[in-house]
Amino acid sequence: MKRYGMLIDGQWVPARSGETREIRDPADGALLAKVPEAGRVDAEAAVDAARAAFDAGPWRKLTAQDRGKLLFRVGEGIRAHAKRLAELETRNCGKPLAEAAFDVADAADCFEFYGGLATKIHGETMQVPANSLSYVVREPVGVCGQIIPWNYPLLMAAWKLSPALAAGNTAVLKPSELTPLTALELGRIICEAGIPAGVVNIVTGPGAGPGEALAASPQVDKVAFTGGTVTGRKVMTAASGNLKKISLELGGKNPNIVFADADLECAVDGALFGAFANQGEVCSAGSRLLVERSIHARLVEGMLKKIPRIKLGHGLEPGVKMGPLVSAAHRDKVESYIEIGVNEGAKLLCGGKRPKGRAFAKGHFLEPAIFDRVKPSMRIAREEIFGPVLAVIPFDSEDEAVSIANDTEYGLAAAVWTKDVTRAVRVISRLRAGITWVNTYHPTFNELPWGGYKASGMGRELGLYGIEEYLETKQVNINLDENPIGWY
Ligand code: TXE
């Protein structure tokens, strides 16, 4: 069991209250670490440090090239500790080791992507109807409050910190209270890379208190949040106090649409992976499987044949494809949806139960569930469950598929499976979602914008679009007339 401090102004400190939180392995309940349980005052101290580092520290004087080099060093540091970080991620949030290892490499890539981008931030010169040299410069927004969830703890920290730092901001990162460990390890790597004190602060604690303080603080210029839609609304309301800039990445109820002409084997794989990767605890999970009626029976049969291959267990065990859910409370929530689905009249084809046996006794495991005969009006087809529960909805025509797909408050991701490229392009253009795939599900690239339409959030992360969220735009007008204006 390790004791962690949190990172404020370059120091590893306890909570002012002295309180700590136990961090446990969701697969077996083992005590992994104790971390400070920050309160509002700790978050405020971290904001003060980030404010001072932005307003008066050496950070703002660094060249973009130097900032870029520091980010590359962070990427290298992540790679140097990749194995340990992946194991820690698996222990803390439950995901299988292969998935954690992928996330760790992706986090390093993300720092490198934005390390490269630091030197490509530029403005432009404008012709204006006056004798003026007029140009536009891009500047950092300032102090960024960054609140992240528990499903991709290290990767979300990378998605938030790397564009903010590339753009020259300072940050206070608040990991989920359930999964702070890899973010704290990242803090260590960031310090070792030579990023000055106060530029990155990491506050561990719950939403109530430190999370709220970050969202509301008048000293914070921008808040970036990834999490549930209900919390996103609260963050947005709190952020309105000083009208801080805001970006939100929220939930989804994403349609994965399979047409009859799709390659069936690929579609079966894509449907399962879309729904059950990372235990289904993914905002972009393909949790609604829309299937053309003529292949419905064959697709379902194909999935049921493969479901036993999704081996449950501790994510560190070889061959395990699905770990536990993140917490007992979250499993309760997901189980309540199994009950809701059954009561609504959907047909539970498999899963939805706690697996039996000693290996599972102390973990928050749940067998992957597939519901058939789901109606678009049912709650299991409308609400984000955020667990291994797939709702299968048959359709008869392309128009009907599009209409069901778009009939949701969300608009994060969507996919289409078909061999007809014209249809693929046509359907994708009609889907109201920010992230779309054809004949695949889930690949995510640091180069491309990530974010949703409608209640799935606002703003975009990643790629060139992602850094925009961390930049202000300033116009500069240099008068080239030498005479007084003579207005009066
Ligand atoms: O998330 P929260 P929870 C969805 C998913 C899940 C549901 C609830 O459907 O079942 O949200 O999960 C911090 N002010 N997603 O409760 O509350 C909190 O400490 C400021 C989708 O775990 O959104 C954590 O750091 N911050 C999702 C972060 O917000 C607050 C990922 C996320 O927690 C706060 C996770 C407040 N008032 C859940 N309250 C995705 N989009 O990927 C909490 N927090």
Side-chain angles (χ1 to χ4, degrees), residues 32-71:
L32 300 174
K34 284 190 181 173
V35 302
E37 179 79 336
R40 199 170 269 275
V41 285
D42 302 291
E44 282 161 3
V47 169
D48 288 346
R51 188 78 260 166
F54 186 80
D55 292 339
W59 178 241
R60 289 296 305 286
K61 299 201 179 91
L62 288 189
T63 62
Q65 197 182 20
D66 286 339
R67 286 203 308 274
K69 282 180 185 162
L70 288 171
L71 292 189

Side-chain angles (χ1 to χ4, degrees), residues 1 21-34 90-94 178 181 313-317 323-328 331 358-365:
M1 200 274 297
R21 176 186 289 256
E22 292 185 344
I23 304 297
R24 291 185 178 272
D25 185 331
D28 58 16
L31 181 61
L32 300 174
K34 284 190 181 173
T90 287
R91 281 190 201 282
N92 195 173
C93 72
L178 300 175
L181 301 185
H314 195 296
L316 292 181
E317 275 172 37
L325 297 184
V326 74
S327 66
R331 180 173 63 177
R358 273 189 45 210
F360 303 111
K362 291 185 183 159
H364 316 306
F365 293 95

Side-chain angles (χ1 to χ4, degrees), residues 63-416:
T63 62
Q65 197 182 20
D66 286 339
R67 286 203 308 274
K69 282 180 185 162
L70 288 171
L71 292 189
F72 272 100
R73 249 187 253 163
V74 175
E76 267 168 41
I78 293 173
R79 290 189 201 289
H81 297 283
K83 190 168 176 288
R84 199 168 56 81
L85 286 170
E87 285 173 6
L88 190 61
E89 195 79 314
T90 287
R91 281 190 201 282
N92 195 173
C93 72
K95 67 178 72 195
L97 185 61
E99 293 188 31
F102 188 88
D103 294 354
V104 171
D106 209 12
D109 286 345
C110 190
F111 274 96
E112 288 162 1
F113 176 83
Y114 281 109
L117 203 56
T119 52
K120 280 98 196 160
I121 298 165
H122 61 85
E124 51 191 339
T125 320
M126 301 296 195
Q127 300 295 329
V128 296
N131 189 14
S132 166
L133 171 59
S134 293
Y135 58 93
V136 174
V137 287
R138 311 305 306 279
E139 295 183 342
V141 168
V143 174
C144 304
Q146 304 185 310
I147 302 169
I148 56 172
W150 42 260
N151 55 341
Y152 289 88
L154 181 70
L155 192 58
M156 288 303 104
W159 283 22
K160 294 284 180 287
L161 287 174
S162 57
L165 298 177
N169 298 282
T170 61
V172 179
L173 178 80
K174 195 198 81 61
S176 164
E177 57 274 32
L178 300 175
T179 56
L181 301 185
T182 48
L184 291 170
E185 294 291 340
L186 176 63
R188 209 169 288 283
I189 291 168
I190 283 171
C191 293
E192 282 164 14
I195 291 183
V199 172
V200 173
N201 305 273
I202 302 175
V203 171
T204 51
E212 291 165 347
L214 283 185
S217 169
Q219 299 294 323
V220 172
D221 300 294
K222 184 215 156 68
V223 64
F225 171 80
T226 299
T229 300
V230 172
T231 308
R233 282 201 183 93
K234 289 187 197 161
V235 168
M236 193 169 172
T237 306
S240 71
N242 67 331
L243 293 169
K244 55 174 72 69
K245 306 266 171 297
I246 182 162
S247 49
L248 303 172
E249 207 269 81
L250 309 174
K253 191 74 190 179
N254 310 292
N256 192 6
I257 309 173
V258 185
F259 287 99
D261 68 341
D263 180 312
L264 198 71
E265 207 184 324
C266 293
V268 165
D269 274 2
L272 293 174
F273 187 64
F276 299 132
N278 207 55
Q279 299 77 238
E281 296 169 327
V282 189
C283 52
S284 54
S287 50
R288 287 188 295 153
L289 185 66
L290 278 49
V291 191
E292 193 158 0
R293 203 176 299 276
S294 59
I295 56 153
H296 168 236
R298 280 192 296 144
L299 189 76
V300 166
E301 187 192 339
M303 289 195 297
L304 290 177
K305 234 187 227 163
K306 275 206 162 167
I307 273 271
R309 292 200 203 170
I310 303 179
K311 184 180 168 198
L312 265 76
H314 195 296
L316 292 181
E317 275 172 37
V320 160
K321 297 284 184 196
M322 185 179 281
L325 297 184
V326 74
S327 66
H330 187 55
R331 180 173 63 177
D332 288 348
K333 175 187 155 180
V334 177
E335 283 179 325
S336 77
Y337 275 101
I338 303 287
E339 207 180 312
I340 289 167
V342 170
N343 291 339
E344 283 179 314
K347 186 172 179 202
L348 183 60
L349 295 180
C350 65
K353 293 189 292 291
R354 299 182 182 193
K356 295 205 164 59
R358 273 189 45 210
F360 303 111
K362 291 185 183 159
H364 316 306
F365 293 95
L366 193 68
E367 291 171 355
I370 300 179
F371 273 109
D372 200 6
R373 296 193 205 148
V374 177
K375 295 205 176 74
S377 57
M378 291 178 177
R379 284 182 64 192
I380 57 164
R382 307 198 73 78
E383 296 173 20
E384 186 180 51
I385 300 174
F386 219 67
V389 183
L390 177 62
V392 181
I393 308 174
F395 67 84
D396 290 302
S397 69
E398 187 179 305
D399 279 347
E400 192 194 358
V402 170
S403 145
I404 296 171
N406 285 336
D407 180 19
T408 164
E409 63 173 311
Y410 296 110
L412 190 59
V416 171

Side-chain angles (χ1 to χ4, degrees), residues 449-467:
W450 181 272
Y453 287 25
K454 302 194 271 180
S456 289
M458 55 177 62
R460 292 292 180 270
E461 300 193 272
L462 298 182
L464 303 183
Y465 297 83
I467 204 158

